[in-house]
Amino acid sequence: GFETASVVKVGILAALLLRAGDAGRGLTVAERAHAAAMVVRSDNDSASALWRAIGGARGLDAANERFGLTGTAGGEGTLWGLTRTTAVDQVALLRQLFVADGSELSADARAYVTGLMGRIADGQRWGVSAAADGSAWALKNGWLRRSTTGLWVVNSVGRVSSGGHGRLVAVMSRGSATLAEGIALVERAARAVVSVLAAEGDGIGRAERDQKSS
């Protein structure tokens, strides 16, 4: 699996909404403030607050089981960014958010998350959006420089419109020497995946890239 970095923030919010739905309640004012900051600006303090609210890795893993994710494991302790996942699982989560059929989440919950993913802050609008023709995209990116290697984990997940079709795309990468190199890699992969989908008439794109440093 790949470290999620901040793409796990979508999973944290999905888990929070699932718990709230089970309890028959909406999100509190504080939860909504944290959720917006966490997704739109990728605010880490807000992510940590909601990670605690869902019960950490145990809460994330329980939600992911219901969402049909099989290769994702929450990060230890407070380290939500070291959650490990696969592109296949990230697409499964995107389906829960963007496809009503078979989703564990209510229409309101899905609209809330996808709406935040469509309002990402300037400077974070890269990644799978490179594969969109026009401005119709909803995404969440993650980027993390591993202290052990000095190399970057760069990930991007979301929905893009291309050729009149909505496509769910997840790209996970690690091993880039710089963040800029990682972003370029992820955007190349996203464009390649969407062009293949267009040729095959499919709507689901997954890519995983390991940079081999020379």
Side-chain angles (χ1 to χ4, degrees):
F2 285 68
E3 297 89 354
T4 53
S6 286
V7 296
V8 76
K9 290 168 181 172
V10 172
I12 292 171
L13 181 51
L16 181 70
L17 288 161
L18 192 62
R19 290 169 78 96
D22 288 347
R25 68 173 182 88
L27 297 188
T28 65
V29 171
E31 285 171 339
R32 290 179 76 90
H34 282 315
M38 173 175 74
V39 176
V40 175
R41 293 191 286 108
S42 208
D43 182 72
N44 290 337
D45 291 340
S46 290
S48 293
L50 295 183
W51 179 250
R52 288 192 298 272
I54 66 169
R58 187 176 297 174
L60 185 77
D61 292 347
N64 283 342
E65 191 170 333
R66 285 172 59 184
F67 291 146
L69 279 59
T70 57
T72 300
E76 288 186 20
T78 59
L79 300 176
W80 44 261
L82 296 187
T83 295
R84 296 183 77 84
T85 193
T86 64
V88 170
D89 268 10
Q90 289 305 300
V91 168
L93 182 59
L94 291 170
R95 287 192 78 102
Q96 289 284 324
L97 300 174
F98 289 95
V99 182
D101 187 30
S103 180
E104 294 283 322
L105 295 168
S106 70
D108 284 349
R110 293 197 317 274
Y112 179 62
V113 184
T114 60
L116 293 177
M117 293 172 72
R119 294 191 0 233
I120 297 298
D122 288 341
Q124 297 181 26
R125 298 177 179 186
W126 46 264
V128 294
S129 54
D133 49 14
S135 58
W137 51 260
L139 61 78
K140 183 72 193 82
N141 295 323
W143 58 98
L144 173 70
R145 187 170 182 265
R146 293 307 311 272
S147 55
T148 46
T149 62
L151 300 175
W152 287 81
V153 170
V154 183
N155 303 323
S156 184
V157 302
R159 182 185 187 275
V160 299
S161 291
S162 176
H165 298 280
R167 308 198 186 275
L168 304 179
V169 181
V171 182
M172 317 297 290
S173 81
R174 65 181 161 219
S176 293
T178 65
L179 176 57
E181 182 184 295
I183 290 173
L185 175 74
V186 164
E187 291 190 336
R188 280 197 307 275
R191 283 192 292 262
V193 159
V194 168
S195 65
V196 169
L197 296 181
E200 295 179 353
D202 192 5
I204 305 295
R206 302 168 283 262
E208 297 182 343
R209 296 287 186 271
D210 262 314
Q211 286 285 74
K212 297 291 183 272
S213 44
S214 48

